[in-house]
Amino acid sequence: MRRAPKARMEPVPPGSPMGFEPLLEAHDLVQQFEVRLQGGISGGVVQAVSNVSLSIGRGETVALVGESGSGKSTFARSIIQSPPPKSGQVWFLGEDLTQLRRRGLMNARRQLQMVFQDPFASLNPEWRVRQIVEEPLVGYGVGTRADRRKRVDEVLNLVGLNPQTFARRRPSQLSGGQCQRVAIARALTLDPALIICDEAVSALDVIVQAQILNLFEKLRAELGLSYLFVSHDLALVRQVSDRVAVMHLGEIVEVASAEDLYRAPAHPYTLALLESSPSTDPAAPRRPVVTIKGDPPSPLNPPSGCRFRTRCPMAQDKCAEERPRLTAISAGHQVACHFPIHGDPKERDLG
Ligand SMILES: Nc1ncnc2c1ncn2[C@@H]1O[C@H](COP(=O)(O)OP(=O)(O)OP(=O)(O)O)[C@@H](O)[C@H]1O
Ligand code: SF4
Ligand SMILES: [Mg+2]
């Protein structure tokens, strides 16, 4: 049985869910990596995640989107303490994961599972499906052999794989979509509250992608699961997320309901990302084309003030001087920009 969260006094992070009971709250997470050059000389510090706060509600799907290298995976890994963040807090089911020691963290991790991008690489090629899916139960010493067998059959059925057909196969005898179903089954065995999917469907073809996204939706409805859905593909997350957080160079620059974010993006970076992401919806609003010029700045030496300013068509002097904070512009919609786009972006002069 899941424990009720303990009462506590921390402020609620920006982007807290509306209409969902809070499940996970990350506060001010910072993750940095020192780069070592030849001879052990320091090449600087990568600012991979800089003071990022985000919450996820029970039964909610939150998408985390952004360009390659924006810090999505690092943030996701900081949540599961792999490695632990340099500073900040991660409240999950009433406990701050950053304060837990090995055993406490292991217990909390039962309810916090991850599914990765490459289904083949994430499964042991020598093992049969039954052993792969059973492994977390064995690791946590759950049930008898017969109990575990029953549970493996249950979760294989849940993900649409007939145990009689698939339990004895090895990963090399499965398609990419079937491998990802096995990875999802393994994540489900311990009855988690939250699954973090890091580009979990990116390596699959479009039809299999749709099947796996439908499976995530089915599991959410049946099991009340929450998801953090990490992806670089805005069009893809649109159909599965309640809220979307946009990450740029280690910072969250906009958080909104999926509906608001796609209808009325307020951050120039979000607008540019949407522009570069082909829409499959013929009714989608037509927007002015805002292309992101140039490569992202180095996370070793991010620009002062707004980290998007070197590529932003709307940048002004203030953008170099002051770091914009995530600020609410309407209920549930926060943006970190000194000059956010209000209303219909078609009406704004975007330079
Ligand atoms: N262990 C590490 N050591 C040094 N730098 C790292 C390490 N892990 C990540 N980084 C750097 O941190 C930044 C964020 O990387 P991250 O993998 O989180 O990005 P991402 O948004 O997940 O990108 P992608 O969409 O390509 O998966 C990048 O500049 C990356 O090079
Ligand atoms: S703060 Fe300035 S540079 Fe940054 S996104 Fe807003 S307008 Fe552009
Ligand atoms: Mg990544």
Side-chain angles (χ1 to χ4, degrees):
M1 211 172 100
R2 285 175 191 144
R3 270 175 293 162
K6 292 176 207 156
R8 56 188 180 74
M9 301 302 288
E10 283 71 32
V12 174
S16 275
M18 294 184 305
F20 293 92
E21 181 195 337
L23 175 67
L24 180 134
E25 292 176 10
H27 290 262
D28 258 342
L29 289 199
V30 173
Q31 188 60 280
Q32 301 164 333
F33 302 105
E34 183 160 15
V35 177
R36 290 268 161 210
L37 303 176
Q38 247 184 351
I41 305 158
S42 174
V45 177
V46 175
Q47 312 287 334
V49 172
S50 305
N51 303 96
V52 171
S53 299
L54 187 69
S55 66
I56 302 167
R58 264 189 199 280
E60 189 184 30
T61 300
V62 176
L64 185 63
V65 298
E67 289 164 289
S68 180
S70 55
K72 305 178 298 293
S73 297
T74 305
F75 175 68
R77 288 180 178 279
S78 299
I79 287 177
I80 64 165
Q81 310 297 299
S82 173
K86 295 286 180 253
S87 63
Q89 301 170 328
V90 180
W91 287 92
F92 179 62
L93 293 168
E95 288 180 302
D96 179 3
L97 302 186
T98 64
Q99 298 302 310
L100 297 181
R101 303 214 179 267
R102 207 161 163 265
R103 182 151 293 277
L105 192 58
M106 205 177 144
N107 284 336
R109 283 288 312 277
R110 282 182 68 152
Q111 307 245 20
L112 184 53
Q113 297 290 320
M114 248 180 121
V115 176
F116 297 95
Q117 173 169 4
D118 185 345
F120 289 105
S122 68
L123 306 178
N124 186 331
E126 306 294 323
W127 287 9
R128 297 187 192 276
V129 166
R130 176 170 298 285
Q131 195 180 358
I132 291 170
V133 177
E134 190 185 0
E135 195 253 346
L137 296 170
V138 175
Y140 280 93
V142 177
T144 62
R145 211 166 160 203
D147 295 335
R148 293 199 295 269
R149 198 177 172 83
K150 194 165 156 243
R151 180 65 183 151
V152 170
D153 287 356
E154 251 170 39
V155 289
L156 284 177
N157 279 319
L158 263 176
V159 301
L161 294 176
N162 182 339
Q164 286 187 335
T165 312
F166 291 99
R168 289 192 52 74
R169 292 202 193 171
R170 294 185 207 278
S172 60
Q173 298 167 313
L174 301 172
S175 70
Q178 287 164 349
C179 273
Q180 201 55 306
R181 283 172 194 266
V182 171
I184 296 166
R186 182 178 57 184
L188 289 175
T189 47
L190 293 165
D191 192 20
L194 174 65
I195 297 187
I196 298 177
C197 303
D198 191 354
E199 304 279 5
V201 295
S202 306
L204 306 173
D205 72 48
V206 179
I207 292 172
V208 183
Q209 254 183 11
Q211 290 167 352
I212 299 291
L213 291 179
N214 287 341
L215 172 64
F216 281 133
E217 271 305 291
K218 176 184 101 103
L219 295 172
R220 171 155 87 140
E222 287 177 11
L223 308 174
L225 279 173
S226 307
Y227 298 103
L228 176 63
F229 207 91
V230 174
S231 177
H232 64 277
D233 185 342
L234 266 106
L236 189 139
V237 299
R238 181 178 191 168
Q239 48 182 308
V240 291
S241 18
D242 297 300
R243 283 187 305 134
V244 181
V246 180
M247 201 157 180
H248 174 265
L249 209 63
E251 298 178 324
I252 287 186
V253 296
E254 185 162 9
V255 187
S257 68
E259 195 191 335
D260 280 357
L261 193 105
Y262 288 88
R263 186 178 44 81
H267 197 285
Y269 177 65
T270 310
L271 184 56
L273 279 183
L274 284 171
E275 278 305 324
S276 58
S277 161
S279 173
T280 49
D281 177 6
R286 287 176 61 80
R287 302 190 181 91
V289 175
V290 181
T291 44
I292 311 179
K293 295 185 189 95
D295 294 327
S298 167
L300 283 164
N301 186 20
S304 64
C306 173
R307 291 184 179 181
F308 187 53
R309 72 177 165 81
T310 54
R311 300 189 290 163
C312 179
M314 293 161 60
Q316 300 183 36
D317 291 347
K318 185 180 181 184
C319 306
E321 292 152 13
E322 221 178 283
R323 181 183 176 188
R325 308 268 162 203
L326 261 185
T327 309
I329 52 165
S330 62
H333 192 159
Q334 287 105 6
V335 62
C337 173
H338 295 308
F339 307 102
I341 304 159
H342 289 292
D344 187 339
K346 275 183 291 189
E347 309 299 319
R348 278 286 294 260
D349 176 11
L350 296 164

